[in-house]
Amino acid sequence: MSREGAVPSKPGREARRALFANRNFRWLLGGGALSMLGDQFTLLALPWLVLKLSGDPLVLGTVLAMLSLPRAVFILIGGALVDRHSPYNVLLLTKYLNAALLGLLAALVWSGAVTLWMIYGLAAAIGVVTAFSFPAGSSILPQALPAQALHAANGVLMGLRQAMVLIGPLLAGGLIAHFGDAASAHPIAAPSSASGLALAFALDAASFAISAWTLWQVQPTVRVNKAAPQPVLRAVGEALGAMWQDHELRALCLYFGAIAFFVGGPLQVALPVLANTQLPGGAVALGQLLAGHGLGALLGMVLAGALPRWRLKTLGLTVLAIDATAGLTFLPFGHISAAWQGVALLAPLGALAGFVQVAVFTWMQRRVPPAMLGRAMSLFMFIFMGLSPVAAAAAGAALRVLTPAALFTASGASLVGIVLLGATLTPIRRITDLPAEAPADAVSA
């Protein structure tokens, strides 16, 4: 192991103590925890509501598409507006809008007046708002915390988000089962039969309202000159051009784009097919596999925050080594015959992915000038959101001619090949944690 290229920092325990002593971080952590938990209530309640109204999986798919497509389409525009108006202001506005939209949905469900066309409209509106909240949320930390605290803060917040992904659905399911007819697949006929669903949406609306109040308490420590007013598409093009000129940033974005396509698709599509066709338990086995991956990701994020200087010489070499390990793990994955075997492979994979996510997000927050950070983070998110449906469709098509085992083997081999190309043909291996020179548009407040 080496600490070459690492950012000098206080010992881990002292750094974490200083982080939790930071007033801004405590407010961001408290509001973020509530909002993340509320999100899980809606993510479970919305599909259940659609199935109660329609009983049609196709309708459910189109509603979820209405939620995700606007997010992918508008996220680059959202990043441009974040840079123009500040992540603080944009994030605050999105919290108010989400609280209003989810409050309206809760009222409609409670009254029994909700219809499918209303759900389509509200899902699309929430998707658009999310396209602005994602880049704003990922850009606010560098303005609220000292640069040396970013890595630990990202580790804590991402780990918390992953914990809510595991805990939230259990709480939401229990709430719906206790207060509403969670077992019925028939259309909602009376408010009493949907009180659990209405309460789930209402709690998410309340979480946005409360987290907006906590955001009010945050006092930015870095003053950033806002991006010059210009047409939105020109602002997006300016950011794309600047990121393309940064050879290391360009290489990393292309690298993760390739991984999102060749690895993300099989995880989305081939994993459920594998659980259904060759594992005892079917859906139960799939749940165990996903839970194993999620727990691993949580552990990796916690370790990333606790060990911010753990590197294999450089950050780039660490990322490449982790992905090579993941590729080798994928090779035998399709040949498992029991859920415990899949968990034993997916949990370490999740831990590796969680560690890389924290490290790379922190690197980008330090690398990109503050006045362009919203657009840069939105582009990075677009790589995964935009490629996700394409990768899923490609994996589904491949499964018509390949077995799940063959697809996982091909995915693992592709990942190892991508790592080799990244190590030999790009500057990724030279990427260090050292921040770029302080930009002229960021000064201490």
Side-chain angles (χ1 to χ4, degrees):
M1 302 302 167
S2 170
R3 293 184 176 183
E4 179 183 339
V7 179
S9 63
K10 301 177 181 179
R13 183 176 300 178
E14 187 179 348
R16 290 192 296 276
R17 187 182 299 116
L19 177 65
F20 281 95
N22 185 288
R23 179 180 181 274
N24 280 350
F25 181 73
R26 292 199 305 271
W27 284 115
L28 289 171
L29 182 66
L34 283 173
S35 184
M36 294 171 196
L37 180 61
D39 288 345
Q40 298 307 311
F41 278 71
T42 292
L43 288 175
L44 188 141
L46 183 61
W48 200 261
L49 173 62
V50 173
L51 290 176
K52 283 177 69 72
L53 286 172
S54 69
D56 187 345
L58 178 60
V59 173
L60 174 59
T62 55
V63 168
L64 295 179
M66 291 297 292
L67 188 66
S68 60
L69 287 177
R71 183 174 57 201
V73 170
F74 289 101
I75 194 167
L76 293 177
I77 295 174
L81 292 182
V82 165
D83 288 337
R84 180 184 297 182
H85 298 289
S86 90
Y88 179 89
N89 293 334
V90 173
L91 186 60
L92 192 61
L93 178 59
T94 62
K95 288 183 180 295
Y96 289 142
L97 291 174
N98 272 322
L101 291 169
L102 289 162
L104 175 59
L105 180 56
L108 291 170
V109 173
W110 178 263
S111 67
V114 67
T115 61
L116 281 175
W117 72 264
M118 295 177 184
I119 295 175
Y120 277 115
L122 287 170
I126 292 171
V128 171
V129 173
T130 305
F132 294 84
S133 66
F134 274 18
S138 60
S139 303
I140 197 169
L141 277 184
Q143 296 188 22
L145 300 175
Q148 64 270 23
L150 289 178
H151 197 286
N154 279 319
V156 172
L157 291 172
M158 290 183 184
L160 178 64
R161 181 180 296 110
Q162 190 64 34
M164 293 306 174
V165 169
L166 296 171
I167 298 171
L170 297 176
L171 296 177
L175 178 84
I176 294 170
H178 182 73
F179 289 97
D181 183 10
S184 174
H186 298 292
I188 297 170
S192 60
S193 69
S195 57
L197 289 168
L199 185 56
F201 293 126
L203 287 174
D204 195 9
S207 75
F208 276 110
I210 296 172
S211 64
W213 176 76
T214 62
L215 186 59
W216 266 106
Q217 315 308 313
V218 175
Q219 300 295 325
T221 59
V222 174
R223 186 174 66 254
V224 176
N225 294 331
K226 300 174 184 177
Q230 58 180 314
V232 171
L233 294 181
R234 183 181 298 174
V236 171
E238 178 186 57
L240 291 175
M243 293 178 71
W244 187 261
Q245 294 301 317
D246 186 328
H247 293 173
E248 292 182 352
L249 186 55
R250 177 179 68 194
L252 205 61
C253 286
L254 293 174
Y255 174 80
F256 280 114
I259 291 178
F261 184 83
F262 287 103
V263 180
L267 277 177
Q268 290 181 73
V269 180
L271 194 61
V273 174
L274 182 145
N276 184 54
T277 57
Q278 65 186 68
L279 296 184
V284 174
L286 177 61
Q288 292 170 344
L289 294 176
L290 294 175
H293 186 270
L295 285 171
L298 173 59
L299 176 62
M301 291 171 179
V302 171
L303 288 176
L307 304 171
R309 298 198 296 175
W310 185 88
R311 296 289 182 266
L312 297 173
K313 192 173 182 181
T314 67
L315 173 61
L317 284 176
T318 304
V319 171
L320 292 169
I322 284 176
D323 288 337
T325 304
L328 295 174
T329 305
F330 262 112
L331 291 175
F333 188 85
H335 300 282
I336 63 173
S337 57
W340 70 265
Q341 297 170 347
V343 171
L345 292 172
L346 281 178
L349 280 175
L352 295 173
F355 189 94
V356 167
Q357 185 178 350
V358 173
V360 171
F361 259 65
T362 303
W363 178 79
M364 289 192 66
Q365 289 170 338
R366 290 173 173 155
R367 178 85 174 193
V368 179
M372 199 172 287
L373 186 56
R375 285 166 285 176
M377 298 305 291
S378 69
L379 175 62
F380 195 64
M381 294 174 185
F382 177 79
I383 290 173
F384 296 95
M385 294 179 185
L387 286 177
S388 178
V390 179
L399 284 173
R400 290 191 169 186
V401 295
L402 297 175
T403 64
L407 183 57
F408 275 113
T409 300
S411 177
S414 298
L415 182 51
V416 172
I418 292 168
V419 169
L420 291 175
L421 291 174
T424 57
L425 301 180
T426 76
I428 291 177
R429 66 186 182 280
R430 298 193 297 270
I431 294 176
T432 71
D433 290 275
L434 292 174
E437 293 183 2
D441 56 355
V443 295
S444 299

